Amino acid sequence: MRPDELEHLQLSRLRETIERVQHVPFYRDLLAQEGVRAEDIRTLEDLQRLPFTRKQDLRDGYPFGFFAVPLSRVVRIHTTSGTTGKPTVVGYTRGDLDRWSDLIARNLTMVGLTENDVFQNAVNMGMFTGGLGFHYGAEKVGMTVLPAGTGNTRRQIEMIDDFGVTAIHCTPSYAMHLAEVAEEMGSDLPSLKVGVFGAEPWSDATRNDLQDRLGVTAYDSYGLSELFGPGVAFECPEQDGLHIWHDSYLVEIIDPATGEQLGPGERGELVVTPLVKEAMPLIRYRTGDITMLLEDDCPCGRTRRIARFSGRVDDMLIIRGINVFPSQIEHILMALPEVGDQFMVYVDRNEHHLDEMTIHVEVKRQYFSGELADLARIQQKIVRTLRDTLELRTAVQLVEPGSLPRFEGKARRVVDRRTNV
Ligand code: DLL
């Protein structure tokens, strides 16, 4: 599309989005307060007159406060981690599902996949957007899709071998584990040629490792549930920065402290206004992810791109592809009467390349000096409660009250010891 045509399309879709958010009380009030109407948006520069939306706002609207259509038109719901107890809820109309799978299909096509490929989708198929998102995107390309899900790694390797799988989708850390198990099983996975990896940050060193060990070309895939899910940004065969579909997402990089827009080459927070979302339109959504616009156009001809992600503006952790906020852990622990004043979270990557979270928890004095059986019961209760909310298995170690570090300033309760992330 010519740049002027694209800009025209973006502007008209932005205006439509502003009309659509009028059905969401949060936006109706906010825009009225700021005195902005759809007809005031004359150029894309005017985007800066619009307010930001934060994850906290979505939390305040839990569960359906950000839906711009009646629930009868919402045909699917996904969730992702919230910052405290409740998850962030996202909804899709039938049209949304169609547009989302289209975006993923475009990405898969961009890296050369066709209906002749066999695609193993080795991520969680439940509320996580990565599973069904890629499932329908890959089906739309016409690939032969295996909804393999996670776990049972030896069986996954057998499927790759027996079914002649050519492309695999999973988190990069699970891909490392797959490589290791394949080596143990003596399989060099001759059919595999493409790896699509995302949902968590990963380095170029990990990419080289995965390409060598799995025999694939490995592509970075980025997205977040609030913007449909995966499919927001994706690498092309140049493997040098990620492309965003500008007809569907309006992109800004801002200084997270001031909210000012930054230019190419300046690192900041990615802010996205989705242009084609119906059930849950958003304006200037602050992703919390740090990247920058790259200065020059990509040799592939798709012009603009962003750098691979280099961190978060907040303290969100990604453990085995699952987002975890330290505030969630605090919220869960502090609601348990047996838990004392302090806790510490340690994150490691084990020898099988899998993430592990260990939480040291102080218990109240009366429990600590009590029966051992009681301590075991408390420990199990904490593990269970954390697992139910975070959907993640954690190791919990109970410790004596007063034994964990105390902080004078901002508490630093998370020690991330993973290297090569
Ligand atoms: O992780 C969607 C997804 C699924 C993307 C499968 C790619 C593949 P959420 O659970 O909402 O959605 O988590 C979104 O994960 O804000 C980033 O912090 C992080 N993230 C996702 N992809 C990447 C990536 C899915 N390629 C959050 N590099 C985002 C770095 C990533 N971080």
Side-chain angles (χ1 to χ4, degrees), residues 80 128 130 199-201 220-225 289 312 316 318 323:
T80 185
F128 177 56
E200 62 185 6
D220 193 2
S221 148
Y222 166 84
L224 56 158
S225 311
D289 294 311
R312 297 266 316 165
M316 185 180 93
I318 306 186
N323 305 346

Side-chain angles (χ1 to χ4, degrees), residues 45-87:
E45 300 286 293
D46 292 329
L47 181 65
Q48 291 176 72
R49 300 180 53 191
L50 297 170
F52 292 118
T53 311
R54 293 177 171 77
K55 201 175 178 79
Q56 179 63 37
D57 299 321
L58 302 186
R59 176 175 131 70
D60 294 341
Y62 180 87
F64 303 147
F66 273 76
F67 287 3
V69 298
L71 204 55
S72 56
R73 291 200 50 215
V74 174
V75 297
R76 194 188 304 158
I77 282 171
H78 281 284
T79 60
T80 185
S81 305
T83 45
T84 53
K86 295 283 187 192

Side-chain angles (χ1 to χ4, degrees), residues 231-256:
V232 177
F234 213 89
E235 279 182 333
C236 69
E238 298 290 327
Q239 295 176 295
D240 186 16
L242 291 87
H243 292 288
I244 296 192
W245 299 105
H246 295 286
D247 62 333
S248 304
Y249 298 107
L250 207 49
V251 172
E252 304 167 79
I253 306 288
I254 63 155
D255 176 334

Side-chain angles (χ1 to χ4, degrees), residues 315 330 342-344 406-414:
D315 53 4
E330 168 157 19
Q342 293 290 339
F343 66 93
M344 281 294 293
R406 265 53 186 166
F407 300 94
E408 289 182 357
K410 197 172 151 54
R412 268 210 272 278
R413 295 207 173 87
V414 179

